[in-house]
C-alpha cells in the first residue's frame, strides 16, 4: 500500500520515534507547528477518522492515552493541544489517521 505512515511503521522511511509498542507508534512531526509537535498513529492502516469502527474502540483509547502519557513525559504540564484532521475540509493531508500533539507555546482559538 502506498501510504507514507505505513512506510514509517515498516521502517522504510525514517522517523524520529518517541514511542512504539505492538499497536501504536509516536514520532516527531517533520514540519513542527509548535516547539513540541509529535504524532501518534495506529500501526494498523486506517485512512480517516470516518473509517474507525467499533472494533477499534480500544485502539482509539490507546492512541489517546499514549498522547496524554507522552505529552506529560515531555514536560507539558502547562498544557498541550491534541488535533485530528478528517478529510479535505478538515485539513487532512496524510490518509493514515494520526493524532497531533502540540505544545510548548501558547495555543490560540479558533484554530485556522
Ligand atoms: P494532517 O495534515 O493532519 O494529515 O497531518 C499530516 C502531518 O504529517 C503534517 O503535520 C506533516 O508535517 C506530517 N508529516 C508528513 N510527512 C512526514 C514524515 N515523513 N515524518 C513525520 N511527519 C510527517
Ligand atoms: Zn497507512
Amino acid at each position: 500500500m502506498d501510504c507514507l505512515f505505513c512506510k514509517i511503521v515498516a521502517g522504510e522511511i525514517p522517523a524520529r520515534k518517541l514511542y512504539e509498542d505492538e499497536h501504536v507508534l509516536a514520532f516527531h512531526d517533520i514540519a513542527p507547528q509548535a516547539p513540541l509537535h509529535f504524532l501518534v498513529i495506529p500501526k494498523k492502516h486506517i485512512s480517516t477518522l470516518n473509517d474507525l469502527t467499533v472494533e477499534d474502540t480500544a485502539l482509539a483509547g490507546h492512541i489517546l492515552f499514549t498522547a496524554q502519557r507522552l505529552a506529560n513525559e515531555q514536560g507539558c504540564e502547562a498544557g498541550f493541544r491534541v488535533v485530528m484532521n478528517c478529510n479535505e475540509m478538515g485539513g487532512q493531508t496524510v490518509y493514515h489517521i494520526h493524532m497531533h500533539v502540540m505544545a510548548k507555546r501558547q495555543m490560540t482559538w479558533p484554530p485556522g
Side-chain angles (χ1 to χ4, degrees):
M1 186 186 300
D2 195 24
C3 168
L4 179 66
F5 287 176
C6 281
K7 286 179 180 163
I8 288 178
V9 169
E12 293 165 11
I13 290 176
R16 288 174 56 215
K17 291 181 188 175
L18 267 172
Y19 174 76
E20 180 169 16
D21 66 24
E22 191 184 343
H23 300 292
V24 301
L25 177 65
F27 52 95
H28 290 279
D29 197 290
I30 203 166
Q33 301 301 309
L36 179 66
H37 183 178
F38 64 88
L39 306 174
V40 185
I41 71 169
K43 287 193 165 177
K44 164 185 166 181
H45 181 85
I46 301 171
S47 297
T48 81
L49 266 183
N50 284 338
D51 300 303
L52 270 183
T53 70
V54 71
E55 282 80 47
D56 299 314
T57 301
L59 179 61
H62 187 44
I63 290 168
L64 189 58
F65 278 106
T66 300
Q68 179 220 59
R69 184 173 55 74
L70 293 177
N72 285 293
E73 283 176 13
Q74 295 291 315
C76 301
E77 43 286 308
F80 57 94
R81 167 86 39 98
V82 165
V83 171
M84 290 187 86
N85 298 323
C86 183
N87 279 330
E88 195 177 346
M89 286 282 273
Q92 185 172 5
T93 59
V94 177
Y95 282 78
H96 178 133
I97 60 167
H98 46 281
M99 183 171 283
H100 294 261
V101 181
M102 289 163 281
K104 300 189 187 276
R105 68 169 167 82
Q106 181 61 56
M107 296 297 159
T108 59
W109 197 263

